[in-house]
Amino acid sequence: MVSLPKDFIWGFATASYQIEGSIDKDGRGPSIWDTFCAKPGKIADGSSGVTACDSYNRTAEDIDLLKSLGSQAYRFSIAWSRIIPKGGRNDPINQAGIDHYVKFVDDLLEAGITPFVTLFHWDLPDELDKRYGGLLNREEFPLDFEHYARVMYKALPKVKNWITFNEPWCSSILGYSVGQFAPGRTSNRERNDVGDSSTEPWIVGHNLLVAHGRAVKVYREEFKPTNGGQIAIVLNGDATFPWNPTDPLDVEAANRKIEFAIAWFGDPIYLGHYPESMKKQLGDRLPTFTEEERALVYQSNDFYGMNHYTADYVKHKEGTPAPEDFQGHLQTTFWNWRGDCLGEETQCPWLRPCAPGFRDLLVWLSKRYNYPKIYVTENGTSIKGENDMPREQILEDDFRLNYYDSYVKALATAYTLDGINVGGYFAWSLLDNFEWAEGYETRFGVTYVDYENGQTRYPKKSAKHLKPLFESLVRKD
């Protein structure tokens, strides 16, 4: 009988720009996503986070929703530009922004819900991007992030679970290589007239790691002795299977894809250096850690934050890698050499359910990083055509329910049979919300949000399935 540990905690996750709205209320400054959304053609339906789920004004409603679903914890992110509207360490602090999150944390705790707070979920204050290039600046950015982190630790001493950055891969690759996310820099001149996909993403990734290290050092030295608690970064990546498991080059490529997605950040934190496969392909385009930077980054996780959604079959490529290649010189597909398909289609072209891959990746990470405590900080799915269905049909989201069921049971199997050290699980997402470049056309929520009629919330079938699911798996003894 598979199970989960008795101290296991579960809940739902969201991000500030995707749900809060109120982009100029109470002194909030603009973020790079406000600027990016204002550019024609960047967001699928031409929308933005101006209103989103109106969660800034509905914290009580969201807490009531969490309570009704039995949620033990809630992962949300702070909007940096609500706290320091211009972002920098010498810029004014906005007390109204701090007060909002202080009250929200107090209200969550009063409701018996444990907050997991993400400091940065992609919405950099726009002023820092304009002032010195934002994430591209190796000197200024880590210091400004450290300052912002210190302000938040001081303001929220009751928070015991901190996350520095959400998915640095997305900030680096989608923001500075593909150009699909803010600030949209890329070598593709049809998308943007500035950017260098061959160098910038690797610089950004390095700077995010150093900024993470600085924020963790401050927490451990100045706050943890008094407050206790834990802090980590959240990394994302797909599970992989060789396209042809009898071809050693495909086997190697499947491993290399995880290294380019996850170990890019995981290896410096847990092993003290970048993966050899990245050094080999990128050469001097991959920055080198100074001794001070290495010391900041190495061993800077108290737990492993894992965002995971899907899997790929991976086929090696011949020849020389392109300068803008960020995957590790390979190609991905949902079909293998025999024509087997990984899973059913969803609304997202990149996402197909494959719970066995989730278990495999949990084992891969645990073996590589000496079995750290893993919190699954995001996991969930979209449903093909969901946004075009009538509400009654959307609420009967059996596809999502089955996704959660299979993935959570794969997690329990990994704990019971593979010895994985698991601490918690957060379903993505509590609410249908602004899905970045996909706008509002894609829904990930366990709760339907009626954008046309005042952002009213309606829990879907999947929302009500998670409490009994975890009750059946979490050990009582």
Side-chain angles (χ1 to χ4, degrees):
M1 181 70 184
V2 300
S3 64
L4 290 164
K6 64 180 178 183
D7 60 351
F8 189 87
I9 191 167
W10 71 274
F12 301 93
T14 58
S16 49
Y17 192 74
Q18 293 182 270
I19 67 164
E20 283 184 350
S22 298
I23 62 165
D24 50 10
K25 189 171 180 180
D26 295 338
R28 177 188 178 279
S31 79
I32 56 173
W33 273 93
D34 296 307
T35 305
F36 189 68
C37 290
K39 295 176 179 173
K42 298 299 181 189
I43 310 300
D45 52 9
S47 65
S48 72
V50 167
T51 306
C53 306
D54 193 33
S55 281
Y56 184 80
N57 300 310
R58 295 170 184 248
T59 52
E61 193 177 331
D62 286 350
I63 291 171
D64 285 345
L65 174 63
L66 288 162
K67 277 175 73 174
S68 74
L69 300 177
S71 184
Q72 299 171 336
Y74 182 46
R75 178 184 169 222
F76 65 95
S77 78
I78 308 275
W80 184 346
S81 63
R82 287 196 195 282
I83 308 302
I84 308 170
K86 292 188 173 180
R89 57 197 183 278
N90 299 312
D91 293 321
I93 291 171
N94 176 35
Q95 190 60 42
I98 290 177
D99 292 346
H100 170 80
Y101 292 110
V102 169
K103 181 173 182 344
F104 187 46
V105 164
D106 285 345
D107 291 349
L108 281 167
L109 290 167
E110 194 178 318
I113 297 165
T114 302
F116 277 65
V117 177
T118 305
L119 289 166
F120 184 90
H121 200 123
W122 310 345
D123 46 351
L124 181 78
D126 192 56
E127 171 67 22
L128 298 187
D129 194 54
K130 291 183 165 65
R131 187 180 289 175
Y132 55 65
L135 307 183
L136 281 166
N137 193 303
R138 190 165 176 169
E139 286 72 43
E140 298 296 327
F141 174 72
L143 292 171
D144 281 347
F145 182 73
E146 175 191 327
H147 170 70
Y148 158 59
R150 184 185 277 109
V151 168
M152 293 318 304
Y153 304 149
K154 191 175 175 186
L156 300 174
K158 296 176 188 174
V159 172
K160 308 300 181 196
N161 303 281
W162 290 96
I163 290 159
T164 53
F165 291 100
N166 179 77
E167 300 186 347
W169 184 93
C170 291
S171 294
S172 308
I173 298 301
L174 301 181
Y176 292 83
S177 177
V178 182
Q180 183 185 352
F181 279 10
R185 295 175 67 93
T186 176
S187 293
N188 180 347
R189 292 293 165 253
E190 289 178 11
R191 281 200 159 172
N192 201 329
D193 53 7
V194 291
D196 180 354
S197 303
S198 69
T199 58
E200 289 187 2
W202 315 115
I203 293 166
V204 167
H206 189 86
N207 296 344
L208 288 168
L209 275 167
V210 173
H212 156 77
R214 295 195 78 95
V216 170
K217 186 172 190 281
V218 165
Y219 186 69
R220 287 176 173 171
E221 291 179 358
E222 299 176 25
F223 297 90
K224 195 169 182 173
T226 310
N227 300 347
Q230 56 181 354
I231 186 166
I233 197 168
V234 159
L235 306 180
N236 64 297
D238 303 343
T240 63
F241 301 99
W243 183 75
N244 180 352
T246 65
D247 185 339
L249 292 176
D250 285 354
V251 174
E252 196 179 309
N255 196 65
R256 192 164 63 248
K257 182 175 187 300
I258 305 177
E259 290 183 338
F260 267 70
I262 299 174
W264 173 13
F265 303 98
D267 278 16
I269 290 171
Y270 288 98
L271 308 178
H273 53 76
Y274 284 123
E276 290 304 320
S277 60
M278 295 185 74
K279 292 182 193 172
K280 183 179 172 186
Q281 179 173 319
L282 300 171
D284 60 9
R285 287 183 287 139
L286 188 66
T288 306
F289 288 101
T290 65
E291 282 312 307
E292 184 198 7
E293 288 174 335
R294 188 187 311 282
L296 283 167
V297 174
Y298 182 52
Q299 299 295 333
S300 57
N301 258 4
D302 293 337
F303 61 91
Y304 184 98
M306 178 184 187
N307 287 4
H308 176 74
Y309 292 87
T310 190
D312 306 286
Y313 286 115
V314 178
K315 194 176 195 303
H316 75 278
K317 275 185 181 174
E318 303 290 350
T320 309
E324 65 275 9
D325 175 74
F326 57 81
Q327 286 193 309
H329 195 49
L330 49 89
Q331 60 190 87
T332 61
T333 169
F334 292 123
W335 291 266
N336 68 8
W337 67 288
R338 285 202 309 246
D340 303 324
C341 185
L342 269 177
E344 292 178 74
E345 252 187 302
T346 67
Q347 182 64 21
C348 304
W350 54 269
L351 198 170
R352 291 189 180 223
C354 180
F358 181 36
R359 179 184 172 186
D360 285 358
L361 186 57
L362 285 160
V363 172
W364 191 98
L365 292 168
S366 296
K367 286 182 174 172
R368 192 173 184 102
Y369 300 137
N370 195 23
Y371 292 82
K373 179 167 274 196
I374 295 174
Y375 286 81
V376 180
T377 37
E378 284 181 29
N379 179 236
T381 188
S382 58
I383 298 175
K384 190 162 179 62
E386 185 176 22
N387 194 42
D388 302 321
M389 299 172 188
R391 188 173 81 208
E392 295 68 29
Q393 191 180 347
I394 291 176
L395 298 182
E396 295 292 315
D397 62 339
D398 286 304
F399 184 90
R400 184 175 287 110
L401 184 155
N402 292 330
Y403 178 99
Y404 283 131
D405 202 72
S406 65
Y407 272 76
V408 170
K409 284 172 179 168
L411 182 66
T413 303
Y415 167 71
T416 310
L417 301 184
D418 305 317
I420 308 306
N421 182 4
V422 294
Y425 176 95
F426 293 84
W428 184 272
S429 175
L430 176 65
L431 304 165
D432 289 336
N433 57 46
F434 176 73
E435 195 48 47
W436 307 109
E438 294 174 48
Y440 296 96
E441 292 179 358
T442 302
R443 293 176 180 263
F444 267 89
V446 298
T447 304
Y448 172 76
V449 177
D450 188 344
Y451 306 121
E452 307 299 315
N453 296 292
Q455 274 65 27
T456 312
R457 283 93 159 114
Y458 300 88
K460 304 175 190 176
K461 197 172 176 181
S462 62
K464 299 162 188 173
H465 178 66
L466 287 170
K467 183 172 185 256
L469 175 62
F470 283 108
E471 283 178 344
S472 73
L473 291 168
V474 175
R475 294 169 60 170
K476 310 290 188 287
D477 55 351

